[in-house]
Amino acid sequence: MPASAMENTQPKVHILDSAKPAAKMTIEHLTVFYGDKPALHDVNLKIGSNRVTALIGPSGCGKSTFIRCLNRMNDVIPGCRIEGRVKLDDEDVYAPGQDVVNLRTRIGMVFQKPNPFPKSIYDNVAYGPKIHGMCETKEERDAIVLRSLDRAGLLDEVRDRLRAPGTSLSGGQQQRLCIARAIAVEPDVILMDEPCSALDPIATARIEELITELKEHYTIVIVTHSMQQAARLSQKTAYFHLGRLVEEGDTETVFADPQDERTRDYVMGRIG
Amino acid sequence: MSEIAEKKLRMAAIRKKRHRAETRFRLFGMAAVSVGLIFLAVLFAVVLFSGLSAFKQTVIHLDIPVEASGDNYQAMVKLSLRNAFQDVTSRRHKRELYALVSSGAAYQLKDRVQAAPVLRGTMVSIWVTASADVDMAIKGETPRLTDRQLAWVDDLKTKERLKTQFNWRFFTGGDSREPELAGIAVATLGSLFSVFVCLALSFPLGVLTAVYLEEFAPRTRWTDFIEVNINNLAAVPSIVFGLLGLAVFLNAFGLPRSAPLVGGMVLALMTLPTIIITGRAALKAVPPSIREAALAVGASPLQAVFHHVLPLAMPGVLTGTIIGTARALGETAPLLMIGMVAFVVDLPETILSPATALPVQVFLWADSPERGFEERTIAAILILLLFTCLMNLTAVLLRKKYEIRW
């Protein structure tokens, strides 16, 4: 990281809302087609470093499509075509020759439904570091696993049963296990696609707490259906409607004083 | 008011009809299963009843004077028979007497003497195989023996020089013209070799094909075309694969005739479509969330498939493989075309030596007129069924072992 960037991030801690943080990701003129059907139209968005950016909007508005473009998870969907530019720091995510595998280690992802591998808790977390050669000895691996579980707030609950299958955990624990798995490979950005939609309010509260802690270390983008969640968690909110980014800005502004009528209807609970 | 009551009555009638339909369907189901089970029981009873006798063989005890030199063991056996029944003088009666023991008796004596040369010049006491006619008579079939021969058999029985014992030769011997000497060792080994070759070729090829087509191949008209044709191949009559083997493996590549290697290759061609189709279905059944999870931590598509998707699909893949292989084990037609329908006496030593296969042996013996082959045919079928059961058991166990619930 260049020295100037270091200086830029320095004051952010004190005056979070007024300062313009360094953009971790920049999305320019992003347009996505599934076959002939356009799913996203000309989206421009900057995602600030070490903040939580919330993407809201009614079902089918393109939030999930958008978030999946950021780490190229849409590549696996046949017929998906992408135009425009997505940049991580200053690097083009869709540049020819871009190493997708490497990219995805820098941009982790947590899915709507907890999807632990049908392996032990330990192996779930250790898998990423193992395939990337991030740990050579067993001690190093143990350290990564324990640290990741600790950061995901799961360590105390599973410390004495790391060899139990990951699928034996409760839904909320499984989701935190998936978060631990994502941060085990030391990403810069974590994408979360409705991470709490399959969880009860208590498990949701734990995850939200965790997300707030995680933003100290990571840049977080979260898709959510719950406007309260977006308001509680995020510093920046983007409202999508029918494949277009309608409004974006500081979360407080977007919720208190939305500029666009559609956004107003949505955040006031009149539609959606 | 009455309209409401009428409506209620009508609804009650419909409800009753629904219940009756359900009960009727259950009864049909149970009846069908019962009929199936009865047929199965009858089949097993018949097969066991008429086949088990082949595992017993009648033997006759002879005291044979072995000459100090000379190798005419046939003559020695005949001499001992004449010694045992000294009142037999006429040529015709002598021939009837000699027919009591199998032509294999001379070889049994030869083997014994060559193993222990000290026996030369002594009286050798040995149990030799009785002829098939004697064997059948002892086992209670309508005897094809003359009254004189039956009297001799009774005489031997009273002197305790005739008994039935476990038929080892059936499991260790090759084919023979004489039912009492015929065994299934060549066929069993041939089948095992063929199935081994078949598995070794079709399992890796089939699984990798399924993985490529399901996970990596782009969806184009070409892949659709290939998919349709793989499904068609699964329905091609097996003898056509035999013809292909004959034309390509034997005539074009010049591989040896009657060899389990070629048999296995032909069976592999036949098994491949089954493995590919079931493999693809199993891969498709793995939830996409597992793929996404692996890709999201930076696994390459290959790693995602081989570390996560394929292990989860393994139970299904294995089931398909075993079903395909079990079918290959019971296949006769393609083996006919590549010369595995042969009269082979010597045990195959490698996958290149000539051999037959169990179903082919069944086919060959079923064709033979001698009564003694009937029970052996059924016994061979029993062995074939046993192998099939073992393979299915393996499939169940493997599936249990690899089954991971999520």
Side-chain angles (χ1 to χ4, degrees), chain B residues 304-322:
Chain B
V305 169
F306 281 92
H307 293 170
H308 298 289
V309 180
L310 192 56
L312 286 176
M314 225 34 183
V317 172
L318 286 175
T319 308
T321 308
I322 303 271

Side-chain angles (χ1 to χ4, degrees), chain A residues 68 73 76 101 104-105 107-109 111 115-119 127-128 131-132 167 181-182 185, chain B residues 219 289-301 303-304 307-308 311-312 404-406:
Chain A
R68 291 171 66 96
M73 283 301 280
V76 293
V101 166
R104 293 203 189 116
T105 63
I107 310 177
M109 190 160 190
F111 297 87
N115 57 353
F117 300 129
K119 296 173 187 274
Y127 179 70
I131 58 170
H132 296 302
T167 42
R181 183 176 63 191
V185 292
Chain B
R219 290 262 172 279
S289 65
I290 295 293
R291 278 178 202 92
E292 287 184 337
L295 293 177
V297 292
S300 67
Q303 284 172 325
H307 293 170
H308 298 289
L312 286 176
I404 306 167
R405 292 169 207 291
W406 65 85

Side-chain angles (χ1 to χ4, degrees), chain B residues 38-109:
Chain B
I38 289 170
F39 271 97
L40 193 69
V42 168
L43 171 78
F44 269 100
V46 167
V47 167
L48 285 177
F49 180 74
S50 39
L52 280 184
S53 58
F55 298 124
K56 290 272 183 195
Q57 171 66 43
T58 309
V59 287
I60 295 173
H61 190 246
L62 289 181
D63 294 317
I64 305 174
V66 178
E67 292 160 14
S69 63
D71 286 326
N72 196 347
Y73 295 100
Q74 194 74 48
M76 297 177 213
V77 171
K78 284 178 180 172
L79 178 61
S80 77
L81 278 167
R82 282 204 303 279
N83 289 345
F85 297 95
Q86 290 182 340
D87 51 338
V88 180
T89 46
S90 83
R91 249 180 105 80
R92 210 179 56 161
H93 294 176
K94 275 186 195 164
R95 200 172 308 136
E96 282 180 15
L97 181 61
Y98 300 153
L100 289 185
V101 299
S102 160
S103 60
Y107 294 100
Q108 280 174 293
L109 179 65

Side-chain angles (χ1 to χ4, degrees), chain A residues 9 43 65 75 79 110 112 118 122 129 147 172 184 187 191 198 200 204 206 252 258 267:
Chain A
T9 56
V43 174
T65 300
D75 287 13
V110 176
Q112 185 170 359
Y122 182 95
R147 191 176 64 229
L191 310 175
D200 67 52
T204 303
R206 290 290 324 258
E252 272 172 35
V267 299

